[in-house]
């Protein structure tokens, strides 16, 4: 005979746990990970990117304050050779009040903008052309590096003597000092376009214009903007050099006049002003690069 089945009723231990209220958000986010490491709270998560953004600004501010402090100490120890920041700022204010600084900035700015614009247009265009014309690149590559090594500042008196002392001759000096970094960086960037992209474009029977527009230009923009930023710094040097020699005008003329009378406050003030303007223009170039090359992460 088969033994009768024994039915058991579920006891207290076998009952499912009663559903209670869910744990609070803070408790859920503080659960430990695989090795007992606590996860990051959502309240502190946004603080990490903010700290990463503020850290470079804090370092830059600390360096600026340290530089101003050293400048102040040097000016107090030797007031003849080094004017203090206060004296330099006062000299700039005086030039603004008498109108000499605004007119000088307008004259130098006009020369800088024209020469730099020509250098960017010619440099980017010729750099792209070098990347597509192999024979032209092979025949002029050595010439570019040879001309880039020539000190245009030393040739500025000869250029001004040959072409006159007007705006066109000074623009030529600025153009020659700024164009070579733009050409070299643009050609290098266009030359480094991945061959797979070009092969895919040819497979889909893209025209030469489409290859330039969709492949070459987007990939070359970061390299070209690096050359433009270098060209901006060189354009400032070319502008001051063109204004120094013979027909002294603009900011270069003010620097030359202040140097002849040993006015260190004016010299240092104008030098800092030119440096600030150069940094601002290079920052603008970096912003343009980030706008047109969003696909590439640009590191400062």
């Amino acid at each position: 005979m088969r033994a009768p089945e024994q039915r058991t009723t579920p006891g207290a231990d076998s009952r499912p746990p009663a559903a209670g209220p869910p744990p609070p958000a803070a408790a859920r986010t503080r659960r430990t990970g695989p090795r007992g490491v606590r996860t990051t709270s959502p309240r502190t998560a946004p603080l990490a990117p903010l700290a990463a953004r503020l850290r470079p600004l804090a370092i830059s501010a600390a360096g600026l304050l340290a530089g101003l402090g050293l400048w102040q100490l040097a000016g107090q120890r030797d007031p003849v050779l080094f004017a203090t920041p206060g004296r330099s700022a006062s000299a700039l204010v005086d030039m603004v009040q008498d109108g000499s600084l605004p007119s000088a900035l307008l004259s130098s700015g006009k020369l800088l903008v024209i020469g730099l614009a020509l250098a960017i247009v010619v440099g980017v265009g010729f750099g792209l052309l070098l990347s597509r014309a192999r024979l032209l690149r092979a025949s002029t590559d050595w010439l570019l590096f040879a001309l880039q090594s020539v000190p245009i500042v030393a040739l500025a008196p000869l250029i001004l003597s040959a072409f006159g002392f007007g705006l066109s001759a000074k623009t030529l000096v600025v153009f020659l000092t700024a164009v070579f970094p733009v050409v070299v960086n643009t050609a290098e960037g266009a030359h480094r376009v991945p061959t797979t992209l070009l092969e895919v474009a040819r497979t889909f029977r893209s025209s030469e214009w489409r290859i330039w527009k969709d492949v070459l230009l987007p990939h070359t923009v970061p390299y070209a903007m690096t050359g433009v930023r270098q060209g901006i710094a060189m354009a400032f040097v070319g502008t001051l050099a063109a204004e120094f020699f013979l027909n002294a005008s603009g900011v270069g003329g003010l620097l030359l006049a202040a140097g002849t009378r040993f006015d260190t406050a004016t010299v240092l003030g104008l030098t800092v002003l030119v440096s600030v303007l150069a940094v601002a223009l290079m920052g603008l170039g970096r912003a343009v690069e980030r706008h047109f090359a969003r696909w590439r992460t640009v590191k400062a």
Side-chain angles (χ1 to χ4, degrees):
M1 294 179 63
R2 187 175 60 181
E5 297 181 355
Q6 295 181 358
R7 296 183 179 181
T8 58
T9 59
D13 296 335
S14 62
R15 294 178 182 177
R28 290 198 303 268
T29 56
R30 292 180 181 177
R31 285 183 292 182
T32 57
R35 296 186 179 181
V37 180
R38 291 187 176 183
T39 58
T40 306
S41 175
R43 296 181 180 179
T44 60
L47 297 179
L50 181 61
R53 293 179 181 178
L54 293 180
R55 188 179 298 111
L57 296 177
I59 295 174
S60 300
L64 179 61
L65 292 177
L68 289 176
L70 293 176
W71 185 5
Q72 181 70 26
L73 291 176
Q76 290 178 353
R77 291 176 62 90
D78 195 348
V80 177
L81 295 179
F82 296 97
T84 59
R87 287 176 53 195
S88 300
S90 178
L92 291 180
V93 171
D94 293 339
M95 286 188 291
V96 171
Q97 292 177 352
D98 61 20
S100 59
L101 183 58
S103 61
L105 287 176
L106 183 62
S107 176
S108 299
K110 180 180 178 181
L111 175 61
L112 176 70
V113 169
I114 295 175
L116 183 61
L118 290 175
I120 292 174
V121 173
V122 175
V124 173
F126 190 67
L128 291 174
L129 183 61
L130 286 178
S131 67
R132 300 296 292 167
R134 296 181 179 180
L135 182 61
L136 181 62
R137 180 183 179 91
S139 59
T140 60
D141 203 5
W142 64 272
L143 183 60
L144 285 175
F145 289 103
L147 293 176
Q148 190 178 9
S149 62
V150 174
I152 304 298
V153 175
L155 299 179
L158 298 178
I159 295 174
L160 296 177
S161 300
F163 297 97
F165 310 124
L167 180 62
S168 58
K170 294 181 179 179
T171 303
L172 179 60
V173 174
V174 178
F175 169 79
L176 291 177
T177 55
V179 70
F180 294 108
V182 182
V183 172
V184 172
N185 283 276
T186 303
E188 188 67 23
H191 186 66
R192 290 180 178 272
V193 175
T195 56
T196 54
L197 297 180
L198 297 176
E199 291 175 357
V200 169
R202 295 190 185 98
T203 302
F204 284 94
R205 298 180 180 180
S206 297
S207 62
E208 186 69 18
W209 163 247
R210 298 293 299 182
I211 292 176
W212 279 60
K213 178 178 178 294
D214 298 333
V215 180
L216 283 178
L217 287 178
H219 191 274
T220 309
V221 165
Y223 297 90
M225 291 308 302
T226 301
V228 168
R229 290 201 301 271
Q230 296 176 1
I232 289 172
M234 298 303 297
F236 273 91
V237 176
T239 300
L240 295 179
E243 292 176 343
F244 275 160
F245 297 104
L246 298 176
N247 188 14
S249 60
V251 178
L254 293 180
L255 278 170
L256 188 61
T260 54
R261 63 175 183 267
F262 297 99
D263 187 1
T264 57
T266 302
V267 171
L268 292 176
L270 290 175
T271 303
V272 172
L273 179 62
V274 170
S275 302
V276 170
L277 292 176
V279 171
L281 281 179
M282 285 187 281
L284 179 61
R286 188 178 294 276
V288 173
E289 176 184 351
R290 289 175 177 173
H291 177 73
F292 287 101
R294 299 176 183 176
W295 54 271
R296 178 174 175 173
T297 303
V298 180
K299 296 182 179 180

